[in-house]
Amino acid sequence: MVRLLVASLLVLVSFNASAALPPQSAQELAASADRVIVGVVESIDVSQKRVERGHVDNVYALRIRVEKVEKGRPTKAISIIGWTMHTRPDGWVGPSGNDGIQQVTVGDHVRAYIKGNNILEPNGIERLALHPVQSKGR
């Protein structure tokens, strides 16, 4: 009975260890980031990438015209990458990518927390203002 209990606990711990990341505070994101920038989204390219069998991700390549550098080296523009999961096997648990990146559109003002060229997970991109055309319709 004790062995069964220990085995069950080990299974639960292993599932919990690979669970999706909880949202981070702005301070936590900034501490983990190489760069923090504020700017306008100039372009978005979306593609799908097979990561492994049964795992397909949506990959977002964003080009941002930088208006303000809050951390890191100055730059006028930057290309960054984010992702969301597209498909996973039944019963799968784990990270799901960048929350909210699907709602970002060309013309939006954003703040991005970046490590290398990757947007930090799970909430490393923040919409600050919508594109003016979108704002009129709401």
Side-chain angles (χ1 to χ4, degrees):
M1 182 68 173
V2 171
R3 286 183 187 171
L4 179 60
L5 181 60
V6 170
S8 298
L9 287 173
L10 287 173
V11 168
L12 288 173
V13 168
S14 67
F15 278 121
N16 195 21
S18 64
L21 299 169
Q24 298 182 53
S25 70
Q27 294 81 12
E28 291 170 320
L29 288 165
S32 299
D34 297 332
R35 294 184 253 179
V36 180
I37 58 99
V38 174
V40 177
V41 178
E42 293 185 327
S43 67
I44 303 171
D45 291 315
V46 183
S47 61
Q48 290 186 341
K49 177 181 177 185
R50 182 178 174 182
V51 181
E52 59 184 76
R53 185 174 181 187
H55 294 247
V56 178
D57 290 344
N58 297 318
V59 179
Y60 298 80
L62 283 70
R63 179 83 177 156
I64 299 177
R65 180 175 28 90
V66 177
E67 296 178 336
K68 180 180 177 186
V69 176
E70 297 179 348
K71 180 178 180 182
R73 65 181 185 273
T75 187
K76 293 182 181 187
I78 188 170
S79 295
I80 56 177
I81 304 292
W83 70 279
T84 58
M85 68 176 182
H86 180 71
T87 58
R88 293 293 188 264
D90 288 340
W92 180 88
V93 293
S96 57
N98 298 107
D99 296 341
I101 197 168
Q102 307 95 317
Q103 287 79 35
V104 173
T105 60
V106 172
D108 286 354
H109 278 79
V110 297
R111 174 176 289 113
Y113 299 88
I114 308 159
K115 188 164 194 93
N117 282 346
N118 297 308
I119 302 167
L120 290 178
E121 296 172 35
N123 57 322
I125 190 156
E126 172 187 2
R127 292 172 82 193
L128 302 175
L130 302 179
H131 184 279
V133 172
Q134 292 177 344
S135 298
K136 290 178 185 177
R138 294 184 183 203

